Amino acid sequence: EKPHGLLCTPGATLDRQDCVEYRIRKMLKKENEINSLPNRLCVHRLDMDTSGLLVLALDHTLHLQLSQKFASQQIRKVYYAIVHGIVKDD
């Protein structure tokens, strides 16, 4: 589960390099499991301030297949908002 405040993929500036993909690559490198990962692991992204589950692909073929399914809306995404307190009408 991606916590809020963390990017899914690296940002354009050096202060935005810490992200889900960086942490996964670092973890897999420690476990000697980093062979030929795709350039992007995240098949879809969540905003930085959003927490939730991510779909990741650890090989190029699977990443392409899943990306196509997301693009053609063959995969259904459901979002739930969990709030604390009273939400004001805007």
Side-chain angles (χ1 to χ4, degrees), residues 10-68:
T13 59
L14 289 176
D15 63 329
R16 299 281 198 154
Q17 297 303 299
D18 185 26
C19 64
V20 171
E21 289 192 354
Y22 171 79
R23 291 180 182 191
I24 290 172
R25 289 178 191 282
K26 188 175 176 180
M27 179 188 69
L28 291 175
K29 190 173 184 178
K30 280 183 182 177
E31 296 175 7
N32 293 321
E33 302 215 7
I34 191 165
N35 294 324
S36 59
L37 294 175
N39 291 336
R40 292 285 181 231
L41 299 174
C42 293
V43 177
H44 70 99
R45 296 182 292 181
L46 294 174
D47 291 341
M48 183 174 174
D49 291 332
T50 304
S51 63
L53 297 177
L54 291 171
V55 175
L56 305 172
L58 297 181
D59 71 55
H60 300 282
T61 303
L62 184 58
H63 192 280
L64 180 62
Q65 291 171 347
L66 289 171
S67 295
Q68 290 171 342

